[in-house]
Amino acid sequence: MTAVTVTVPAKVNVQLAVGGRRPDGFHDLANVFLAVGLYDRVTASAADELGISGEGRDIGSVPLDATNLAARAAIALAKLHGIEPRVHLHIEKDIPVAGGMAGGSADAAGALLACDALWGLGTPRDELLSLCAELGSDVPFSFVGGAALGLGRGELLTPLEVGGTFHWVFAAADGGLSTPAVYRECDRLRREEGAGDTVAEVPAPVADPGLLDALRGGSAAALGAVLANDLQPAALSLRPDLRGTLAAGRAAGAVAALVSGSGPTCAFLAADAAAATRIASALGPTARTALSPAPGATILP
Ligand code: C5P
């Protein structure tokens, strides 16, 4: 085999319950992930040494060097097997960069699967998932896709049942938000409110049983009523302009609107495909429609 191409989906968090800051700096989460049908493609080609290239609208803000999470994934897999990372990775980016949709995590998950196939390693799935968790909190979910509850820092996954297709619209915002900066702002807002921000002070996050029921039921109205993102106040504090985007989507008929993960992408749940098209056109040319759930990292034939 000389090249392997893998598609990997973006995600939206339909519930992101954020607990206190742990001694290791991460936050305990109850993170309900839903994979959505916006995909990056990662192609791994045989090469003498590690190389990386990319294409797509936002590619200028992606580091195309060994610090890229996809390159780190290739290096980690090679190390596990005691081999050299002889691969060129090419990333076709369609997921907004630094947008709160796990685009970097998607590329890492895609690179792992593509390199494993290219190098003929046949790494067991649980070992690939452990590597994913070392690379980042969202990488295991990017690998598995569908819908899942992520506990711990988001890496301990339990698959969830989804009873239908959900229609989404995503409005990417200019300039990304740094995930650590959004968590820091969340902590700052909590301290300012006098609630404290550590695991000892913040109640442990729990998945909302009503939200899991709504996912299982497949009704947009039911899911829209319970969407929740604890990082949203922090994202809005850093990017007050997002309030206008959320309001515009609601005015255009969205069942619900929320910031996707740490933002700044805004996510709108639509009643059906026609409503999604109307909301996207009201939000402007960069808004995208997508369906969920979507499959995880998949090797293209
Ligand atoms: O795991 P990942 O590298 O994606 O995390 C990026 C940053 O986001 C972490 O360094 C941390 O600041 C923050 N984070 C967190 N709690 C989590 C996940 C991420 O504080 N559960």
Side-chain angles (χ1 to χ4, degrees):
M1 212 178 311
T2 56
V4 177
T5 298
V6 169
T7 61
V8 216
K11 60 84 184 165
V12 63
N13 308 85
V14 287
Q15 184 191 2
L16 184 46
V18 179
R21 194 181 62 257
R22 315 190 308 202
D24 66 1
F26 285 90
H27 294 70
D28 276 331
L29 303 179
N31 192 347
V32 182
F33 291 106
L34 189 58
V36 299
L38 289 180
Y39 301 92
D40 281 359
R41 280 181 184 221
V42 181
T43 298
S45 311
D48 290 337
E49 58 183 25
L50 182 66
I52 184 160
S53 57
E55 62 186 280
R57 197 171 56 93
D58 290 348
I59 202 70
S61 32
V62 176
L64 293 173
D65 56 32
T67 66
N68 187 294
L69 207 51
R72 284 165 47 198
I75 292 166
L77 182 66
K79 194 170 164 210
L80 178 73
H81 291 276
I83 60 175
E84 291 299 315
R86 296 186 204 283
V87 65
H88 184 91
L89 296 170
H90 184 72
I91 301 173
E92 294 165 71
K93 275 223 84 65
D94 200 27
I95 304 175
V97 174
M101 299 192 74
S105 301
D107 301 343
L112 268 188
L113 187 60
C115 289
D116 190 62
L118 179 74
W119 296 332
L121 299 172
T123 311
R125 188 178 163 87
D126 59 336
E127 286 183 33
L128 288 175
L129 285 173
S130 298
L131 278 183
C132 286
E134 284 169 28
L135 290 161
S137 308
D138 290 348
V139 182
F141 180 72
S142 298
F143 193 92
V144 301
L149 170 63
L151 298 178
R153 58 185 169 88
E155 87 283 21
L156 305 172
L157 297 178
T158 307
L160 295 173
E161 207 184 309
V162 183
T165 300
F166 292 104
H167 297 263
W168 294 92
V169 180
F170 295 97
D174 284 340
L177 268 175
S178 139
T179 304
V182 175
Y183 275 100
R184 274 198 302 276
E185 181 67 1
C186 174
D187 291 346
R188 193 189 67 77
L189 292 173
R190 284 175 168 174
R191 288 194 302 272
E192 197 173 80
E193 286 163 9
D197 63 343
T198 64
V199 271
E201 296 164 309
V202 180
V206 283
D208 172 5
L211 184 129
L212 303 184
D213 277 349
L215 267 185
R216 213 175 295 122
S219 145
L223 183 63
V226 288
L227 293 175
N229 179 1
D230 284 355
L231 288 182
Q232 182 159 314
L236 294 179
S237 168
L238 296 174
R239 289 288 301 267
D241 58 305
L242 300 180
R243 289 181 196 279
T245 310
L246 294 173
R250 287 193 196 99
V255 173
L258 85 170
V259 171
S260 179
S262 56
T265 302
C266 291
F268 304 90
L269 185 58
D272 53 33
T277 305
R278 277 196 304 277
I279 296 161
S281 59
L283 290 169
T286 58
R288 307 279 305 275
T289 60
L291 304 181
S292 67
T298 305
I299 295 177
L300 287 186

CSV table of all heavy atoms in Angstrom, one decimal, residues 14-15 31-34 141 145-150 157-163 207-208 211-213 215-216 293:
chain,number,residue,atom,x,y,z
A,14,VAL,N,-23.5,18.4,22.8
A,14,VAL,CA,-24.9,18.8,23.1
A,14,VAL,C,-25.1,19.0,24.6
A,14,VAL,O,-26.0,19.7,25.0
A,14,VAL,CB,-25.9,17.7,22.6
A,14,VAL,CG1,-26.0,17.8,21.1
A,14,VAL,CG2,-25.6,16.3,23.0
A,15,GLN,N,-24.3,18.4,25.4
A,15,GLN,CA,-24.1,18.8,26.8
A,15,GLN,C,-22.7,18.9,27.2
A,15,GLN,O,-21.9,18.0,26.9
A,15,GLN,CB,-24.8,17.9,27.8
A,15,GLN,CG,-24.8,18.4,29.3
A,15,GLN,CD,-25.2,17.4,30.3
A,15,GLN,OE1,-25.5,16.2,30.0
A,15,GLN,NE2,-25.2,17.8,31.6
A,31,ASN,N,-19.5,15.1,29.3
A,31,ASN,CA,-19.4,15.7,27.9
A,31,ASN,C,-20.2,14.8,27.0
A,31,ASN,O,-19.8,13.7,26.7
A,31,ASN,CB,-17.9,15.7,27.6
A,31,ASN,CG,-17.6,16.6,26.3
A,31,ASN,OD1,-18.5,16.9,25.6
A,31,ASN,ND2,-16.3,16.8,26.1
A,32,VAL,N,-21.3,15.3,26.5
A,32,VAL,CA,-22.1,14.5,25.6
A,32,VAL,C,-21.8,14.9,24.2
A,32,VAL,O,-22.1,16.0,23.7
A,32,VAL,CB,-23.6,14.6,25.8
A,32,VAL,CG1,-24.4,13.7,24.9
A,32,VAL,CG2,-24.0,14.2,27.3
A,33,PHE,N,-21.0,14.1,23.5
A,33,PHE,CA,-20.4,14.4,22.2
A,33,PHE,C,-21.4,13.9,21.1
A,33,PHE,O,-21.9,12.7,21.2
A,33,PHE,CB,-19.2,13.6,21.9
A,33,PHE,CG,-17.9,14.0,22.7
A,33,PHE,CD1,-17.5,13.2,23.7
A,33,PHE,CD2,-17.2,15.1,22.3
A,33,PHE,CE1,-16.3,13.5,24.4
A,33,PHE,CE2,-16.0,15.4,22.9
A,33,PHE,CZ,-15.5,14.6,24.0
A,34,LEU,N,-21.6,14.6,20.1
A,34,LEU,CA,-22.3,14.2,18.9
A,34,LEU,C,-21.5,14.5,17.7
A,34,LEU,O,-21.1,15.6,17.5
A,34,LEU,CB,-23.6,14.9,18.8
A,34,LEU,CG,-24.7,14.5,17.8
A,34,LEU,CD1,-25.1,13.0,18.0
A,34,LEU,CD2,-26.0,15.4,18.0
A,141,PHE,N,-13.0,10.5,21.0
A,141,PHE,CA,-14.3,10.6,20.4
A,141,PHE,C,-14.2,10.8,18.9
A,141,PHE,O,-15.0,10.3,18.1
A,141,PHE,CB,-15.2,11.8,21.0
A,141,PHE,CG,-16.5,11.8,20.3
A,141,PHE,CD1,-17.4,10.8,20.5
A,141,PHE,CD2,-16.8,12.8,19.4
A,141,PHE,CE1,-18.6,10.8,19.8
A,141,PHE,CE2,-18.0,12.8,18.7
A,141,PHE,CZ,-18.9,11.8,18.9
A,145,GLY,N,-16.6,8.4,16.8
A,145,GLY,CA,-17.8,9.1,16.2
A,145,GLY,C,-19.1,8.7,16.8
A,145,GLY,O,-19.2,8.2,17.9
A,146,GLY,N,-20.2,8.9,16.1
A,146,GLY,CA,-21.5,8.6,16.6
A,146,GLY,C,-21.9,9.6,17.7
A,146,GLY,O,-21.9,10.8,17.5
A,147,ALA,N,-22.3,9.0,18.8
A,147,ALA,CA,-22.6,9.8,20.0
A,147,ALA,C,-22.0,9.1,21.2
A,147,ALA,O,-22.1,7.9,21.3
A,147,ALA,CB,-24.1,10.0,20.1
A,148,ALA,N,-21.5,9.9,22.2
A,148,ALA,CA,-20.9,9.2,23.3
A,148,ALA,C,-20.9,10.2,24.5
A,148,ALA,O,-20.8,11.4,24.3
A,148,ALA,CB,-19.5,8.8,23.0
A,149,LEU,N,-21.0,9.6,25.7
A,149,LEU,CA,-20.7,10.4,26.9
A,149,LEU,C,-19.3,10.3,27.3
A,149,LEU,O,-18.7,9.2,27.3
A,149,LEU,CB,-21.6,9.8,28.0
A,149,LEU,CG,-21.3,10.4,29.5
A,149,LEU,CD1,-21.6,11.9,29.5
A,149,LEU,CD2,-22.2,9.6,30.5
A,150,GLY,N,-18.6,11.4,27.4
A,150,GLY,CA,-17.2,11.4,27.8
A,150,GLY,C,-17.0,11.9,29.2
A,150,GLY,O,-17.4,13.0,29.5
A,157,LEU,N,-15.0,7.1,27.3
A,157,LEU,CA,-16.2,7.1,26.5
A,157,LEU,C,-17.2,6.0,26.7
A,157,LEU,O,-16.8,4.8,26.9
A,157,LEU,CB,-15.9,7.1,25.0
A,157,LEU,CG,-15.0,8.3,24.5
A,157,LEU,CD1,-14.7,8.1,23.0
A,157,LEU,CD2,-15.8,9.6,24.7
A,158,THR,N,-18.5,6.3,26.8
A,158,THR,CA,-19.6,5.3,26.7
A,158,THR,C,-20.4,5.7,25.5
A,158,THR,O,-20.9,6.8,25.4
A,158,THR,CB,-20.4,5.4,28.0
A,158,THR,OG1,-19.6,5.3,29.1
A,158,THR,CG2,-21.5,4.3,28.0
A,159,PRO,N,-20.6,4.7,24.5
A,159,PRO,CA,-21.4,5.1,23.4
A,159,PRO,C,-22.9,5.3,23.8
A,159,PRO,O,-23.4,4.8,24.7
A,159,PRO,CB,-21.3,3.8,22.5
A,159,PRO,CG,-20.2,3.0,23.1
A,159,PRO,CD,-20.1,3.4,24.5
A,160,LEU,N,-23.5,6.2,23.0
A,160,LEU,CA,-24.9,6.6,23.3
A,160,LEU,C,-25.8,6.3,22.1
A,160,LEU,O,-25.3,6.4,20.9
A,160,LEU,CB,-25.1,8.1,23.6
A,160,LEU,CG,-24.4,8.5,24.9
A,160,LEU,CD1,-24.5,10.1,25.0
A,160,LEU,CD2,-25.0,7.9,26.2
A,161,GLU,N,-27.0,5.9,22.4
A,161,GLU,CA,-27.9,5.7,21.3
A,161,GLU,C,-28.6,7.0,20.8
A,161,GLU,O,-28.9,7.9,21.6
A,161,GLU,CB,-29.1,4.8,21.9
A,161,GLU,CG,-29.8,3.9,21.0
A,161,GLU,CD,-30.9,3.2,21.7
A,161,GLU,OE1,-30.6,2.7,22.8
A,161,GLU,OE2,-32.0,3.3,21.2
A,162,VAL,N,-28.7,7.1,19.5
A,162,VAL,CA,-29.4,8.3,18.9
A,162,VAL,C,-30.5,7.8,18.0
A,162,VAL,O,-30.3,6.9,17.1
A,162,VAL,CB,-28.4,9.1,18.0
A,162,VAL,CG1,-29.1,10.3,17.5
A,162,VAL,CG2,-27.1,9.5,18.8
A,163,GLY,N,-31.7,8.3,18.3
A,163,GLY,CA,-32.9,7.7,17.7
A,163,GLY,C,-33.4,8.4,16.4
A,163,GLY,O,-34.5,8.2,15.9
A,207,ALA,N,-24.2,13.8,33.6
A,207,ALA,CA,-24.9,13.8,32.4
A,207,ALA,C,-26.4,14.0,32.7
A,207,ALA,O,-26.9,13.4,33.7
A,207,ALA,CB,-24.7,12.5,31.6
A,208,ASP,N,-27.1,14.8,32.0
A,208,ASP,CA,-28.5,15.1,32.2
A,208,ASP,C,-29.3,13.9,31.6
A,208,ASP,O,-29.3,13.7,30.4
A,208,ASP,CB,-28.9,16.4,31.5
A,208,ASP,CG,-30.4,16.7,31.5
A,208,ASP,OD1,-31.1,15.9,32.1
A,208,ASP,OD2,-30.7,17.7,30.8
A,211,LEU,N,-31.5,14.7,28.7
A,211,LEU,CA,-30.8,15.0,27.5
A,211,LEU,C,-30.5,13.6,26.8
A,211,LEU,O,-30.7,13.5,25.6
A,211,LEU,CB,-29.5,15.7,27.7
A,211,LEU,CG,-28.8,16.1,26.4
A,211,LEU,CD1,-28.4,17.6,26.4
A,211,LEU,CD2,-27.5,15.3,26.3
A,212,LEU,N,-30.1,12.6,27.6
A,212,LEU,CA,-29.9,11.3,27.0
A,212,LEU,C,-31.1,10.7,26.4
A,212,LEU,O,-31.1,10.1,25.3
A,212,LEU,CB,-29.2,10.4,28.0
A,212,LEU,CG,-27.9,10.9,28.7
A,212,LEU,CD1,-27.3,9.9,29.6
A,212,LEU,CD2,-26.9,11.3,27.6
A,213,ASP,N,-32.3,11.0,27.1
A,213,ASP,CA,-33.6,10.5,26.6
A,213,ASP,C,-33.9,11.2,25.3
A,213,ASP,O,-34.4,10.6,24.3
A,213,ASP,CB,-34.7,10.9,27.6
A,213,ASP,CG,-34.8,9.9,28.7
A,213,ASP,OD1,-34.2,8.8,28.6
A,213,ASP,OD2,-35.5,10.2,29.7
A,215,LEU,N,-31.9,12.5,23.1
A,215,LEU,CA,-31.0,11.9,22.0
A,215,LEU,C,-31.6,10.6,21.5
A,215,LEU,O,-31.7,10.4,20.3
A,215,LEU,CB,-29.6,11.6,22.5
A,215,LEU,CG,-28.5,12.7,22.4
A,215,LEU,CD1,-27.2,12.1,22.9
A,215,LEU,CD2,-28.4,13.2,21.0
A,216,ARG,N,-32.0,9.8,22.5
A,216,ARG,CA,-32.5,8.4,22.1
A,216,ARG,C,-33.8,8.6,21.4
A,216,ARG,O,-34.1,7.8,20.5
A,216,ARG,CB,-32.8,7.7,23.4
A,216,ARG,CG,-32.6,6.2,23.3
A,216,ARG,CD,-32.7,5.5,24.7
A,216,ARG,NE,-31.6,5.9,25.6
A,216,ARG,CZ,-31.9,6.4,26.8
A,216,ARG,NH1,-33.1,6.6,27.3
A,216,ARG,NH2,-30.9,6.7,27.6
A,293,PRO,N,-26.2,11.8,13.8
A,293,PRO,CA,-24.8,11.5,14.0
A,293,PRO,C,-24.1,11.1,12.8
A,293,PRO,O,-24.7,10.9,11.7
A,293,PRO,CB,-24.9,10.3,15.0
A,293,PRO,CG,-26.2,9.6,14.6
A,293,PRO,CD,-27.1,10.7,14.2
